[in-house]
Amino acid sequence: MATPYAKELEVAQLAVQRAARLTKRVFHEKAKGTVSKDDKSPVTIGDFGAQALIIAALRHHFPSDEIVAEEEAAQLRADAPLRDQIWELVRTTRLDDADAEAFLGGAIPDADAMLDLIDRGSSQGGARGRIWAIDPIDGTKGFLRGGQYAVCLGLMVDGDVKVGVLGCPNLPVDDAAPLTADIGGAHQTDEEGRGVLFSAVQGQGATSRPLGAGALREAKAISVKPVTDLSSATFCESVESGHSNQSESAQIAQKLNITKPSVRMDSQAKYGSLARGAGDIYLRLPTSKTYQEKIWDHAAGDLIVREAGGQVTDTTGSRLDFSVGRTLASNKGVVAAPAAIHGQVIKAVQEVLGLSK
Ligand SMILES: Nc1ncnc2c1ncn2[C@@H]1O[C@H](COP(=O)(O)OS(=O)(=O)O)[C@@H](OP(=O)(O)O)[C@H]1O
Ligand SMILES: [Mg+2]
Ligand SMILES: [Mg+2]
Ligand SMILES: [Mg+2]
């Protein structure tokens, strides 16, 4: 019997790898022109270009699947120079391996087709059918400051995440590398061992492999690190204080007798770091009563951590619910940890947040 979701996994891995290659070009070519969006968050030509390349591959293989993606092309339709800059980037970014590039469906015909592909990410999501969630650059702020960022792709079927892939160009390849948010200076060349592709299929475990520029590299199974002494745990959280309540996380750490300072890392790279045992706990504590987390910020990481032996819930202890639309409207915050200690962490979270039953 064929392995479930084998083709979806291969398409996702190669599409993320190609999109990550585009984002690295943008970073190294210092072409990080940003435009700001209605929500005043930054978006770069890398975000738009990566989304176009990922959607092109998904449309080639799975034309009837729905897609929920972070970015839209409206601004580009009104800004020809910006559109042309992104089109030049998309047109010239390929995987080094001809077979892998052909497998993704070949070149996008022209700039208008690129805009239409970007706008294919407008699905409202929901509880029925096959729906892909794309964050072309998660941690755009991190990307702009030369920190961590991730190219994120997940597949939900009837609201349940089945496939998750994270491309983390600035994380160390070495799964045993200590957890650190910085990348040792943006001047570091790729050869110095950065770039990881995390992936998971529901029920099949989680893996990491070097992020390549052509065919997929050899994978290794990964798992969360067993925590025997909670006080020696490492916890990570957002860099942006607007994205997670950092004073509450400090109180939670204190309650757990954790003495190490938090590692503040951008993007879903935090999920990948937990899944391979580099970090132990990920806390994302709401900073507003109204903000709803986007499904594209969590779908891939949620599955990868759970397939690596972790547990991921919101601050009330409920699993993340990807079936209610473009946001995690039923959830507040995120708490991720090895399954064996998740209960202890949640207890401390609920005491600090005043959620204890
Ligand atoms: N108020 C609020 N609360 C929680 N999260 C928010 C909030 N505002 C934005 N965002 C989203 O955070 C995404 C970045 O994720 P991280 O916080 O893990 O990384 S970072 O430290 O912000 O770079 C970031 O994703 P990208 O836009 O893809 O970078 C945002 O979607
Ligand atoms: Mg954004
Ligand atoms: Mg994001
Ligand atoms: Mg993004």
Side-chain angles (χ1 to χ4, degrees):
M1 189 179 102
T3 308
Y5 300 104
K7 186 174 177 186
E8 286 84 352
L9 176 64
E10 186 181 9
V11 172
Q13 289 169 326
L14 286 170
V16 165
Q17 192 154 272
R18 183 172 66 174
R21 190 168 204 201
L22 180 143
T23 65
K24 286 162 68 174
R25 281 186 62 190
V26 170
F27 184 76
H28 290 299
E29 291 166 14
K30 305 267 183 294
K32 290 186 285 182
T34 58
V35 292
S36 71
K37 303 185 327 189
D38 305 354
D39 65 1
K40 301 292 169 277
S41 66
V43 54
T44 73
I45 60 172
D47 296 77
F48 291 116
Q51 182 163 316
L53 286 177
I54 293 172
I55 294 181
L58 296 180
R59 297 282 303 154
H60 176 71
H61 283 282
F62 313 112
S64 53
D65 285 2
E66 287 188 49
I67 300 170
V68 170
E70 178 174 7
E71 311 306 349
E72 57 178 16
Q75 284 173 291
L76 310 189
R77 295 182 192 281
D79 183 337
L82 181 62
R83 178 202 60 205
D84 293 346
Q85 187 185 11
I86 295 163
W87 168 236
E88 187 54 23
L89 194 60
V90 165
R91 189 181 66 80
T92 56
T93 299
R94 286 186 178 67
L95 288 172
D96 281 346
D97 180 274
D99 292 341
E101 182 61 31
F103 176 70
L104 290 183
I108 297 170
D110 57 35
D112 285 341
M114 174 189 76
L115 298 181
D116 293 343
L117 284 168
I118 291 171
D119 279 343
R120 283 277 180 180
S122 59
S123 162
Q124 289 312 302
R128 285 279 161 267
R130 289 167 49 102
I131 303 174
W132 294 87
I134 305 174
D135 193 340
I137 295 181
D138 181 44
T140 299
K141 290 181 179 175
F143 173 69
L144 287 167
R145 78 168 89 84
Q148 295 298 340
Y149 70 97
V151 177
C152 314
L153 181 56
L155 170 63
M156 298 161 302
V157 179
D158 298 338
D160 189 21
V161 186
K162 299 294 186 184
V163 179
V165 176
L166 292 176
C168 302
N170 286 335
L171 273 184
V173 172
D174 179 4
D175 287 333
L179 187 66
T180 167
D182 70 62
I183 59 173
H187 63 283
Q188 251 193 347
T189 61
D190 298 333
E191 290 64 43
E192 291 180 35
R194 284 192 290 116
V196 188
L197 189 71
F198 295 102
S199 42
V201 175
Q202 193 183 83
Q204 299 175 33
T207 66
S208 73
R209 71 187 74 209
L211 184 68
L216 293 177
R217 310 277 288 276
E218 190 177 342
K220 284 193 317 182
I222 54 173
S223 61
V224 296
K225 181 177 67 193
V227 175
T228 48
D229 169 11
L230 197 46
S231 65
S232 64
T234 302
F235 83 95
C236 46
E237 61 183 341
S238 294
V239 170
E240 301 291 325
S241 58
H243 296 175
S244 183
N245 188 315
Q246 293 165 342
S247 66
E248 287 177 340
S249 53
Q251 293 171 53
I252 291 161
Q254 197 175 21
K255 201 169 263 294
L256 295 169
N257 299 317
I258 292 173
T259 50
K260 285 185 207 164
S262 74
V263 175
R264 291 181 178 167
M265 180 184 284
D266 298 293
S267 83
Q268 290 198 55
K270 295 185 281 293
Y271 282 116
S273 299
L274 248 67
R276 65 177 180 177
D280 301 310
I281 298 168
Y282 169 20
L283 297 176
R284 190 181 193 90
L285 307 172
T287 58
S288 96
K289 293 207 178 332
T290 53
Y291 182 80
Q292 295 182 0
E293 296 286 345
K294 310 293 192 296
I295 62 170
W296 53 78
D297 278 330
H298 300 283
D302 171 81
L303 180 68
I304 289 165
V305 167
R306 288 187 295 108
E307 284 298 317
Q311 176 59 297
V312 184
T313 68
D314 68 6
T315 50
T316 71
S318 304
R319 279 278 311 281
L320 301 187
D321 181 355
F322 294 93
S323 71
V324 290
R326 290 175 67 91
T327 67
L328 295 175
S330 314
N331 298 109
K332 281 305 267 179
V334 175
V335 177
I341 63 164
H342 185 272
Q344 288 170 263
V345 177
I346 271 287
K347 185 170 174 296
V349 167
Q350 292 181 341
E351 284 168 7
V352 168
L353 269 56
L355 299 173
S356 304
K357 293 181 177 82

